[in-house]
Amino acid sequence: MKSLQAYRFALDPNDAQLAGLSRHAGAARFAYNWGLARVKAALAQRDAEASYGLTGDALTLVPWTLPALRLAWNAAKHEVAPWWAECSKETFSAGLDQLVRGLKNFTDSRKGRRRGRRVGFPRFKKRGKARDSFRYTTGAYGPATDRSVKLPRIGQVKVHEPMGALTGRLADGRARLLGATVSRTAGRWFVSFTIEVEREVPSSPSRRQCAAGPVGVDLGVKHLAVLSTGETVANPKHLAGSLRRLSRASRAYARSKPASVGRRKRAARLGRIHARVAHQRRDGLHKLTTRLAKTHDTIVVEDLHVAGMVRNRHLVRAVSDIGMAQIRRQLTYKTRWYGSTLVVADRWYPSSRTCSGCGWRNPSLTLADRTFTCHSCGLIADRDHNAAVNLKHLVAASASETENARGGDRKTALARQVPVNREPGTAQAGQTGSAVPPRTAARQRLTHDS
Ligand SMILES: [Zn+2]
């Protein structure tokens, strides 16, 4: 199986290279904005022509595709960007490519071919507001040595950490380089290489013999995760310190005067620490998801809270919500690589409110309760561990559901016991007898198939 993979490294550019990186990001943005203006002008022209009664081929063509936009750009660049030769031509292409994707997302979304939130018409990118990035797909870019990358027109830029894992794979032909994206996050430049690797997919049956059974995963903040096996996966080494600095920096930011120089500095500092925390957690999550996908045949995680439903202002929750999205994304492709299965629990499945021993539900459990105490069977368990075990139990429940799938309306045992309360502590918690029909607790998606 061929699969795509990315390697991302922090760059340590010198001053001249730093200027080059900014210039290239600016050039990509310039091409994007130029193309957008061109598309908008052509659309307006068409509208006007249509109002005179013109139709079909008589109407002005809108440069809607990458080849059309590139052609137009090459004809116009001497005029609109006499400095174009200072930048790699790849960066202008990258800007136009971003625009084409934006246009495609817009039309797909309007025609119902795209899931998720509605996508609006592309908007102009503003310097300092838009994300700085550009991309190479052809030419002499790539790792130059173990510790440096070659970026055309910018030079040989030092990389912050050794790239052995990538250069080794490229050298012996196990991987092929497809492109490199250079971008800036919280004041720091990164390069991300997209590569194509040939992977052998372990066939599931033979694999299952040596793999451990299902495992439930509950993400925390104090710990990275708690598994249904009882194992507590610790946070990456330096995360605690970063989290402390993060709350201090956000307090300092909140106290600063709006629109002051101090506020801008504190915002930049806050952004840097946020990026650091995100990196450290992502690193820890990668190690965890690889291990899980390799050793267990089924992994059960919670669904994420959909965007906009929980705009949690508590720092701690926000951090773990982001982790949830990452763990799920990583497991989606890693389970495919290693031949295991990912199960995502129903959004409303109250994994932390349910007793993993007898199924009793505690409607009054709050986020502050770190221990789950069952009033029915007397089980006392760590909150996160209890949740992880419940997630694991879903696999057994879903197996019985699959067998009876033809019925369509069959509810699992879990769902029949008690009507589901809405989990994230909304007003409905506690009204067990509400008019909400019982949902299928174990309704879930096997993302493995999608
Ligand atoms: Zn119980």
Side-chain angles (χ1 to χ4, degrees), residues 85-197:
E86 288 170 36
C87 294
S88 159
K89 66 178 185 352
E90 290 276 302
T91 191
F92 300 108
S93 268
L96 295 175
D97 184 55
Q98 262 182 11
L99 172 63
V100 170
R101 283 178 205 220
L103 293 169
K104 185 175 182 306
N105 288 344
F106 166 72
T107 43
D108 283 356
S109 176
R110 216 178 40 167
K111 292 183 179 160
R113 285 189 303 234
R114 190 179 198 276
R115 289 203 301 176
R117 237 186 350 189
R118 271 186 83 98
V119 178
F121 196 78
R123 285 186 290 184
F124 290 108
K125 289 187 191 288
K126 240 182 169 162
R127 190 168 77 105
K129 281 262 159 69
R131 176 180 154 85
D132 278 333
S133 84
F134 57 97
R135 187 170 167 80
Y136 295 100
T137 46
T138 59
Y141 71 95
T145 65
D146 205 23
R147 288 300 282 266
S148 67
V149 294
K150 208 156 66 183
L151 302 176
R153 295 269 157 183
I154 293 172
Q156 194 159 322
V157 183
K158 265 200 230 149
V159 175
H160 196 66
E161 58 207 313
M163 302 188 290
L166 170 65
T167 48
R169 285 185 144 183
L170 289 173
D172 64 15
R174 275 177 297 161
R176 196 163 66 89
L177 196 54
L178 296 182
T181 301
V182 183
S183 64
R184 177 154 59 182
T185 305
R188 182 122 208 222
W189 286 95
F190 293 87
V191 63
S192 170
F193 292 108
T194 317
I195 60 165
E196 188 185 60
V197 267

Side-chain angles (χ1 to χ4, degrees), residues 379-431:
L379 174 101
I380 298 173
D382 170 68
R383 175 207 179 89
D384 298 337
H385 182 223
N386 180 58
V389 173
N390 278 321
L391 288 171
K392 179 191 159 182
H393 285 167
L394 278 183
V395 180
S398 83
S400 70
E401 190 179 55
T402 328
E403 283 165 25
N404 293 285
R406 299 282 180 287
D409 214 4
R410 201 192 122 86
K411 304 280 184 282
T412 57
L414 278 170
R416 267 184 283 124
Q417 279 174 354
V418 192
V420 172
N421 286 325
R422 309 223 151 188
E423 164 81 336
T426 53
Q428 277 178 332
Q431 306 177 350

